[in-house]
Amino acid sequence: MNLSSPSSSSPSPHPLAPYGWDAGWESEFAPYAGQGCLPGRVVRVDRGQCDVVTADGVLRADTAFVTPDDPLRVVCTGDWVAVEPDGTPRYVRTCLPRRTAFVRSTSSKRSEGQILAANVDHAVVAVSLAVELDLARIERFLALAWESGAQPLVVLTKADLVPDPVTLAYLVRDVEAAAPGVPVLSVSAEQGEGLDVLAAVVGGGTAVLLGQSGAGKSTLANALLGEDVMDVRAIRDVDGKGRHTTTTRNLLALPGGGVLIDTPGLRGVGLWDAGNGVGQVFAEIQELADGCRFHDCAHESEPGCAVLAAIDSGELPERRLESYRKLMRENQRIVAKTDARLRAEIRKEWKRRGAVGRAAMEAKRGGGPR
């Protein structure tokens, strides 16, 4: 019996498969294939142009045709696009609908959102163990990660700087308490510890590296890539921070499978319509709130508040509630700036609480209603 080898009958993989191309993207691209366009994935964006990896190699393309007024719809690293087959310059004709998008608010007074990466499966939040842990900042990153639609992952870098295993275990436990439902890995790129686990997690899709400058993202990226692709500079001994070694967002194929988007260090990570993400970060508070006497309980001084009861019993750390309140207020302000109906509701709620507060003060003074 003559048996042919499996490779002789199976179709060869698509040239873009290493970058995440699949049947879903092929279906989305079908209308543009009929127009002669090439499919490709954006690996870098720079001043109105972008580098796009295609079956013909990396092409330089102009984004003028897809530069809308909405900053959330501009071409971004990680986008799948349709590119003109020829021309000088070539143009990106359109972006395919995004599956996920990591968005933060800008520092501008216009309260615009800024998209950092598109079509991401894993949002890797890098946190340096060279400095004291900032759990509130980790919670902020995780809120944006959950809201993006990606699966968050916290990576504690520079674990070799914490040689005591007991101390390291306590640090991991503290982060796990601030990140319910999120895997937490301790990694040392210098010693190669934990990299195999991380590579296995991110090897099945697209991962974006996020974190402050000095968190060790570029070192981590080089370790995963197996070569020194990203520039690395020493951090300051004073505060553990460093200069921005990565100045653009770059998409790179990993040797073990999957792709990685490295991002510049983020000084600010403002929320952008991330109410659901905040809720997932503080899932235990959301669950406790279901037991409150009032459905609109603000968890401040209301009778029958299950959240405050959990604080009193020690079940819920007060720090978690304060962080939750801060992020919810910030997110509400951002949303209200673009939602007139919500602004009216907030003003109405302020007036209601003010009236309740005044009535309580009158009762306390013994004045009673008049």
Side-chain angles (χ1 to χ4, degrees):
M1 184 181 294
N2 183 20
L3 297 176
S4 59
S5 65
S7 60
S8 63
S9 58
S10 60
S12 58
H14 194 282
L16 291 175
Y19 290 90
W21 183 260
D22 57 27
W25 292 121
E26 187 170 2
S27 176
E28 292 283 359
F29 182 75
Y32 307 101
Q35 300 172 18
C37 291
L38 300 174
R41 194 165 194 192
V42 178
V43 298
R44 178 188 172 105
V45 178
D46 181 29
R47 298 178 183 177
Q49 293 188 314
C50 62
D51 292 335
V52 182
V53 60
T54 71
D56 294 340
V58 177
L59 308 177
R60 189 71 167 168
D62 196 296
T63 63
F65 282 118
V66 282
T67 306
D69 295 332
D70 184 355
L72 296 182
R73 298 183 65 83
V74 299
V75 176
C76 176
T77 302
D79 271 326
W80 285 97
V81 297
V83 185
E84 291 181 338
D86 49 36
T88 305
R90 294 190 190 221
Y91 287 95
V92 173
R93 281 294 173 182
T94 191
C95 286
L96 302 187
R98 293 164 177 154
R99 294 177 181 175
T100 63
F102 192 95
V103 181
R104 67 166 177 175
S105 67
T106 65
S107 57
S108 71
K109 294 182 179 180
R110 292 179 295 178
S111 302
E112 294 178 340
Q114 178 190 21
I115 181 166
L116 299 181
N119 302 312
V120 172
D121 302 296
H122 306 283
V124 181
V125 180
V127 180
S128 173
L129 289 175
V131 293
E132 185 177 355
L133 288 176
D134 186 342
L135 297 178
R137 179 170 287 273
I138 294 173
E139 290 162 344
R140 178 179 291 272
F141 269 107
L142 290 176
L144 292 175
W146 279 122
E147 192 68 33
S148 75
Q151 169 64 50
L153 168 68
V154 177
V155 174
L156 303 179
T157 65
K158 308 177 185 180
D160 52 289
L161 299 180
V162 187
D164 179 23
V166 175
T167 301
L168 181 59
Y170 275 121
L171 292 172
V172 171
R173 195 176 309 163
D174 286 344
V175 176
E176 287 176 338
V182 177
V184 179
L185 300 176
S186 59
V187 171
S188 171
E190 294 292 331
Q191 299 181 358
E193 296 177 358
L195 290 176
D196 53 343
V197 178
L198 178 59
V201 171
V202 303
T206 299
V208 60
L209 267 177
L210 305 159
Q212 288 182 287
S213 181
K217 298 189 305 300
S218 294
T219 300
L220 197 59
N222 286 337
L224 290 171
L225 291 163
E227 55 182 320
D228 292 339
V229 175
M230 311 305 296
D231 184 23
V232 177
R233 297 174 188 167
I235 63 171
R236 299 191 296 248
D237 293 331
V238 176
D239 55 10
K241 297 180 181 179
R243 296 172 61 191
H244 293 299
T245 55
T246 302
T247 56
T248 59
R249 290 176 283 279
N250 303 282
L251 185 147
L252 304 156
L254 296 172
V259 293
L260 181 71
I261 299 176
D262 192 19
T263 64
L266 300 175
R267 292 190 179 92
V269 279
L271 300 186
W272 177 258
D273 196 5
N276 291 332
V278 174
Q280 286 184 271
V281 174
F282 299 93
E284 80 278 32
I285 295 180
Q286 299 275 52
E287 184 176 349
L288 286 167
D290 291 338
C292 292
R293 181 184 302 178
F294 304 109
H295 69 87
D296 59 347
C297 183
H299 320 309
E300 293 177 350
S301 58
E302 296 88 344
C305 176
V307 175
L308 294 180
I311 294 287
D312 292 339
S313 68
E315 178 186 353
L316 178 69
E318 190 168 358
R319 186 206 67 78
R320 285 280 286 172
L321 180 57
E322 288 301 317
S323 184
Y324 170 75
R325 286 171 173 162
K326 180 178 180 180
L327 292 182
M328 288 297 286
R329 285 195 299 266
E330 177 184 329
N331 190 68
Q332 192 177 51
R333 285 196 300 270
I334 288 293
V335 175
K337 287 181 179 180
T338 58
D339 189 328
R341 181 186 59 81
L342 182 60
R343 287 199 300 271
E345 290 179 356
I346 291 173
R347 284 196 295 269
K348 183 178 179 181
E349 177 65 12
W350 284 345
K351 290 179 179 179
R352 184 189 71 81
R353 291 192 184 184
V356 171
R358 287 191 296 273
M361 287 299 295
E362 287 294 328
K364 188 175 182 180
R365 292 170 181 168
R370 297 183 181 180

